Amino acid sequence: MILGLGPGDASLRTPQVTAALDEATDLVGYGPYIDRVALGRDAIRHGSDNREEIARARHALSLAAAGRCVAVVSSGDAGVFAMASAMFEAIEHGDPSWRALDVEVMPGISAMLAVAARLGAPLGHDFCVLSLSDNLKPWPLVLKRLRAAAGAGFAMALYNPVSRARPWQLGEALGLLRDFLPGTVPVVFATAISRPEERVVITTLAEAHSDQADMRTMVLIGTEATRLIPRPGNTPWVYAPRGAGS
Ligand code: SAH
């Protein structure tokens, strides 16, 4: 089973995933995600480093082939910059008998959906989703896609904006977007949404600075059509009108 745990809070985990976790004999995934899973019963936790996705996938498949009930977990949705792709790469290139395993992918609430719901409806019209990580794709390709998305008027949900190993990429991405979009376009830094340390910063492209993001942050780039509705004592609502675009 390949499961998405949702963005953080247990109430944002689907009942299907919760039931599957209770069945599992083995949990496989990035250590901190595995630690977050409270189980009604015991299971063996195989935590690993974030960068070891293929080794982790192969390990999970070997356990499943040996008859274990394995839950491979990701945060958010497992199909969004997470373990599901690594699992299918491992199946395609691995032991042919793995193709006969009973593999099921169960959806989760991806960070972009939790972030959008927290803000209002910033992704209510056409939008695109990019990872700023250049671990698995060349940085010039990231820039090319950002340029294309900005040129086409998409709102953007940017995953993996920064990490300790990638400190400068977000600053360069924001610089590129300033060449294509007005400085007034809303930008949101939404950190650790639905977790105790949740933080939301709403700013503009002109003012946005990469210091406002860390590994737990999703960066939303609005469009010229994005609207803000001020509210007393709270962050403004941010939404995309239905008729966006020109
Ligand atoms: N599969 C996950 C994404 C994993 S990539 C999903 O569908 O959500 C990790 C990136 O997701 C982080 O760098 C951050 O950009 C984003 N992210 C994950 N959880 C988040 C949260 N609670 N709040 C804001 N962004 C989050």
Side-chain angles (χ1 to χ4, degrees), residues 30 33 50-51 53 81 130-139 142 146 158-173 210-211 213-219:
Y30 175 44
Y33 296 159
N50 213 0
R51 290 172 169 252
E53 288 184 335
F81 309 124
L130 289 99
S131 169
L132 287 195
S133 171
D134 57 352
N135 288 339
L136 296 168
K137 62 187 169 193
W139 181 243
V142 178
L146 279 172
L158 305 180
Y159 283 75
N160 295 313
V162 285
S163 75
R164 235 165 291 140
R166 295 182 292 102
W168 53 264
Q169 280 83 344
L170 177 60
E172 193 170 311
S210 58
D211 285 357
D214 64 28
M215 278 179 71
R216 303 156 307 160
T217 305
M218 153 141 310
V219 181

Coordinates of all heavy atoms in Angstrom, one line a residue, residues 30 33 50-51 53 81 130-139 142 146 158-173 210-211 213-219:
Y30 N 10.2 8.1 5.1 CA 11.1 9.1 5.7 C 10.9 9.1 7.2 O 9.7 9.2 7.6 CB 10.8 10.4 5.0 CG 11.6 11.6 5.5 CD1 12.9 11.6 5.8 CD2 10.9 12.8 5.7 CE1 13.6 12.7 6.2 CE2 11.6 14.0 6.2 CZ 13.0 13.9 6.4 OH 13.6 15.0 6.9
Y33 N 8.2 11.3 9.1 CA 6.8 11.0 8.7 C 6.4 9.7 9.4 O 5.3 9.7 9.9 CB 6.7 10.8 7.2 CG 7.0 12.0 6.3 CD1 7.3 11.8 5.0 CD2 6.9 13.2 6.9 CE1 7.6 12.9 4.2 CE2 7.2 14.4 6.1 CZ 7.5 14.2 4.8 OH 7.8 15.2 4.0
N50 N 15.7 11.1 3.7 CA 14.9 11.6 2.7 C 15.3 11.3 1.3 O 14.6 11.3 0.4 CB 14.8 13.1 2.9 CG 13.4 13.6 2.5 OD1 12.5 12.9 2.1 ND2 13.2 14.9 2.6
R51 N 16.6 11.2 1.1 CA 17.2 11.1 -0.2 C 17.2 9.6 -0.8 O 17.7 9.4 -1.9 CB 18.6 11.7 -0.3 CG 18.6 13.2 -0.1 CD 20.0 13.7 0.1 NE 19.9 15.2 0.0 CZ 20.4 15.8 -1.1 NH1 20.9 15.2 -2.1 NH2 20.2 17.2 -1.1
E53 N 15.1 7.4 -1.8 CA 13.8 6.9 -2.2 C 13.8 5.5 -2.9 O 12.9 4.7 -2.6 CB 13.1 7.9 -3.1 CG 12.7 9.2 -2.3 CD 11.9 10.2 -3.1 OE1 12.1 10.2 -4.3 OE2 11.1 10.9 -2.5
F81 N 5.3 14.6 -5.7 CA 6.7 14.7 -5.3 C 7.0 13.8 -4.1 O 7.5 14.3 -3.1 CB 7.0 16.2 -5.0 CG 6.7 17.2 -6.0 CD1 5.8 18.2 -5.8 CD2 7.1 17.0 -7.3 CE1 5.4 19.1 -6.8 CE2 6.8 17.9 -8.3 CZ 5.9 19.0 -8.1
L130 N 4.8 23.1 -9.3 CA 6.2 22.8 -9.6 C 7.0 22.5 -8.3 O 6.7 23.1 -7.3 CB 6.9 24.0 -10.2 CG 6.5 24.3 -11.7 CD1 5.5 25.5 -11.7 CD2 7.8 24.8 -12.4
S131 N 8.0 21.6 -8.4 CA 8.9 21.5 -7.3 C 10.1 22.3 -7.7 O 10.6 22.2 -8.8 CB 9.3 20.0 -7.1 OG 10.4 19.9 -6.3
L132 N 10.6 23.1 -6.7 CA 11.8 23.9 -7.0 C 13.1 23.0 -6.7 O 14.2 23.6 -6.9 CB 11.9 25.1 -6.1 CG 10.9 26.3 -6.5 CD1 11.4 27.6 -5.8 CD2 10.9 26.5 -8.0
S133 N 12.9 21.8 -6.3 CA 14.1 21.0 -6.1 C 14.8 20.6 -7.4 O 14.2 20.1 -8.3 CB 13.7 19.7 -5.3 OG 14.9 18.9 -5.3
D134 N 16.1 20.8 -7.4 CA 16.9 20.4 -8.6 C 17.7 19.2 -8.2 O 18.7 18.9 -8.9 CB 17.8 21.5 -9.1 CG 18.7 22.1 -8.1 OD1 18.6 21.7 -6.9 OD2 19.6 22.9 -8.4
N135 N 17.2 18.4 -7.3 CA 17.9 17.1 -7.0 C 17.7 16.1 -8.2 O 18.6 15.3 -8.5 CB 17.3 16.4 -5.7 CG 17.8 17.2 -4.5 OD1 18.7 17.9 -4.5 ND2 17.0 17.0 -3.4
L136 N 16.5 16.1 -8.8 CA 16.2 15.1 -9.8 C 16.0 15.7 -11.2 O 15.6 15.0 -12.1 CB 15.0 14.3 -9.3 CG 15.2 13.5 -8.1 CD1 13.9 12.9 -7.6 CD2 16.1 12.3 -8.4
K137 N 16.1 17.0 -11.3 CA 16.0 17.7 -12.6 C 17.0 18.9 -12.6 O 17.2 19.5 -11.6 CB 14.6 18.1 -12.9 CG 14.0 19.1 -12.0 CD 12.5 19.4 -12.2 CE 12.0 20.2 -11.0 NZ 10.6 20.3 -10.9
P138 N 17.5 19.2 -13.8 CA 18.5 20.3 -13.9 C 17.8 21.7 -13.6 O 16.6 21.9 -14.0 CB 19.0 20.3 -15.3 CG 18.1 19.3 -16.1 CD 17.3 18.5 -15.1
W139 N 18.5 22.5 -12.9 CA 18.0 23.8 -12.6 C 17.5 24.6 -13.8 O 16.4 25.3 -13.7 CB 19.0 24.6 -11.7 CG 18.5 25.9 -11.3 CD1 19.0 27.2 -11.6 CD2 17.4 26.2 -10.4 NE1 18.3 28.2 -11.0 CE2 17.3 27.6 -10.3 CE3 16.5 25.4 -9.7 CZ2 16.3 28.2 -9.5 CZ3 15.5 26.0 -9.0 CH2 15.4 27.4 -8.8
V142 N 13.9 23.9 -14.4 CA 13.0 24.5 -13.4 C 12.7 25.9 -13.9 O 11.6 26.4 -13.9 CB 13.7 24.5 -12.0 CG1 12.7 25.2 -11.0 CG2 14.0 23.1 -11.5
L146 N 9.1 27.6 -14.9 CA 8.6 28.8 -14.2 C 8.3 29.9 -15.2 O 7.2 30.6 -15.1 CB 9.7 29.4 -13.3 CG 9.8 28.7 -11.9 CD1 11.0 29.3 -11.2 CD2 8.6 28.9 -11.1
L158 N 4.4 26.2 -5.4 CA 5.8 25.8 -5.5 C 6.2 24.9 -4.3 O 6.2 25.4 -3.1 CB 6.7 27.0 -5.5 CG 6.5 28.0 -6.7 CD1 7.5 29.2 -6.6 CD2 6.5 27.3 -8.0
Y159 N 6.4 23.6 -4.5 CA 6.8 22.7 -3.5 C 8.4 22.8 -3.3 O 9.1 23.2 -4.3 CB 6.4 21.3 -3.8 CG 5.0 20.9 -3.6 CD1 4.0 21.4 -4.5 CD2 4.6 20.1 -2.5 CE1 2.7 21.1 -4.3 CE2 3.2 19.8 -2.4 CZ 2.3 20.3 -3.3 OH 1.0 19.9 -3.1
N160 N 8.9 22.3 -2.2 CA 10.3 22.2 -2.0 C 11.1 23.5 -2.3 O 12.0 23.5 -3.1 CB 10.9 21.0 -2.9 CG 10.4 19.7 -2.5 OD1 10.3 19.3 -1.3 ND2 9.9 18.9 -3.4
P161 N 10.6 24.6 -1.8 CA 11.2 25.9 -2.2 C 12.7 26.0 -1.7 O 13.5 26.6 -2.5 CB 10.4 27.0 -1.5 CG 9.8 26.2 -0.3 CD 9.6 24.8 -0.8
V162 N 13.0 25.5 -0.6 CA 14.4 25.6 -0.1 C 14.7 24.4 0.8 O 13.8 23.7 1.3 CB 14.7 26.8 0.8 CG1 14.8 28.1 0.1 CG2 13.7 27.0 1.9
S163 N 16.0 24.1 0.9 CA 16.5 23.1 1.9 C 17.9 23.5 2.3 O 18.4 24.5 1.7 CB 16.4 21.7 1.4 OG 17.5 21.5 0.5
R164 N 18.5 22.9 3.2 CA 19.8 23.2 3.6 C 20.8 23.1 2.4 O 21.7 23.9 2.2 CB 20.3 22.3 4.8 CG 20.8 23.1 6.0 CD 20.9 22.2 7.2 NE 19.5 21.8 7.7 CZ 19.3 20.6 8.1 NH1 20.2 19.7 8.2 NH2 18.0 20.3 8.6
A165 N 20.5 22.0 1.6 CA 21.4 21.8 0.5 C 21.1 22.7 -0.7 O 21.8 22.8 -1.7 CB 21.3 20.4 0.0
R166 N 19.9 23.4 -0.7 CA 19.5 24.2 -1.8 C 19.0 25.6 -1.3 O 17.9 26.0 -1.3 CB 18.3 23.6 -2.5 CG 18.6 22.2 -3.2 CD 17.4 21.6 -3.9 NE 16.4 21.2 -3.0 CZ 15.3 21.9 -2.7 NH1 15.0 23.0 -3.4 NH2 14.4 21.4 -1.9
P167 N 20.0 26.4 -0.8 CA 19.7 27.7 -0.2 C 19.3 28.8 -1.1 O 18.6 29.7 -0.8 CB 20.9 28.0 0.6 CG 22.0 27.4 -0.1 CD 21.4 26.1 -0.7
W168 N 19.8 28.8 -2.4 CA 19.7 30.0 -3.3 C 18.6 29.9 -4.3 O 18.2 30.9 -5.0 CB 21.0 30.2 -3.9 CG 21.6 29.1 -4.7 CD1 22.5 28.2 -4.2 CD2 21.3 28.6 -6.0 NE1 22.8 27.2 -5.1 CE2 22.0 27.4 -6.2 CE3 20.4 29.0 -7.0 CZ2 22.0 26.7 -7.4 CZ3 20.4 28.3 -8.2 CH2 21.1 27.2 -8.4
Q169 N 18.1 28.7 -4.5 CA 17.2 28.5 -5.7 C 15.9 29.3 -5.6 O 15.5 29.9 -6.6 CB 16.8 27.0 -5.8 CG 17.8 26.1 -6.5 CD 18.9 25.6 -5.5 OE1 19.1 26.2 -4.4 NE2 19.7 24.6 -5.9
L170 N 15.3 29.5 -4.4 CA 14.1 30.2 -4.3 C 14.3 31.7 -4.7 O 13.5 32.3 -5.4 CB 13.5 30.1 -2.9 CG 12.2 30.9 -2.7 CD1 11.1 30.6 -3.7 CD2 11.7 30.8 -1.3
G171 N 15.4 32.3 -4.2 CA 15.8 33.7 -4.5 C 15.9 33.9 -6.0 O 15.4 34.8 -6.6
E172 N 16.5 32.9 -6.7 CA 16.7 33.1 -8.1 C 15.3 32.9 -8.8 O 15.0 33.6 -9.8 CB 17.7 32.0 -8.6 CG 18.1 32.3 -10.0 CD 19.3 31.4 -10.5 OE1 20.3 31.3 -9.8 OE2 19.2 30.9 -11.6
A173 N 14.5 32.0 -8.3 CA 13.2 31.8 -9.0 C 12.3 33.1 -8.8 O 11.7 33.5 -9.8 CB 12.5 30.6 -8.3
S210 N 13.3 35.2 0.0 CA 13.4 33.7 0.3 C 13.6 33.4 1.7 O 13.4 32.2 2.1 CB 14.5 33.1 -0.6 OG 15.8 33.7 -0.3
D211 N 14.1 34.3 2.6 CA 14.2 34.1 4.0 C 12.9 33.7 4.6 O 12.9 33.1 5.7 CB 14.6 35.4 4.7 CG 16.0 35.8 4.5 OD1 16.7 35.0 3.9 OD2 16.4 36.9 5.0
A213 N 10.9 31.4 3.7 CA 10.6 30.0 3.5 C 11.6 29.1 4.1 O 12.8 29.4 4.3 CB 10.6 29.7 2.0
D214 N 11.1 27.9 4.5 CA 12.0 26.8 4.9 C 11.5 25.5 4.3 O 10.6 25.6 3.5 CB 12.2 26.8 6.5 CG 10.9 26.4 7.2 OD1 10.1 25.7 6.6 OD2 10.8 26.8 8.4
M215 N 12.0 24.4 4.8 CA 11.7 23.1 4.2 C 10.2 22.8 4.3 O 9.7 21.9 3.6 CB 12.5 22.0 4.8 CG 13.9 21.9 4.2 SD 14.7 20.6 5.1 CE 13.9 19.1 4.5
R216 N 9.5 23.4 5.3 CA 8.1 23.1 5.5 C 7.2 24.1 4.9 O 6.0 24.1 5.2 CB 7.8 23.0 7.0 CG 8.7 22.1 7.8 CD 8.8 22.5 9.3 NE 9.2 23.9 9.3 CZ 9.1 24.7 10.4 NH1 8.5 24.2 11.5 NH2 9.5 26.0 10.4
T217 N 7.7 24.9 4.0 CA 6.9 26.0 3.4 C 6.5 25.7 2.0 O 7.3 25.1 1.2 CB 7.8 27.3 3.3 OG1 8.3 27.6 4.6 CG2 7.0 28.5 2.8
M218 N 5.2 26.0 1.6 CA 4.8 26.0 0.3 C 4.7 27.5 -0.1 O 4.2 28.3 0.6 CB 3.4 25.4 0.2 CG 2.6 25.9 -0.9 SD 1.7 24.5 -1.7 CE 3.0 23.4 -1.9
V219 N 5.2 27.8 -1.3 CA 5.1 29.2 -1.8 C 4.1 29.2 -2.9 O 4.1 28.5 -3.9 CB 6.5 29.7 -2.4 CG1 6.4 31.1 -2.8 CG2 7.6 29.5 -1.3

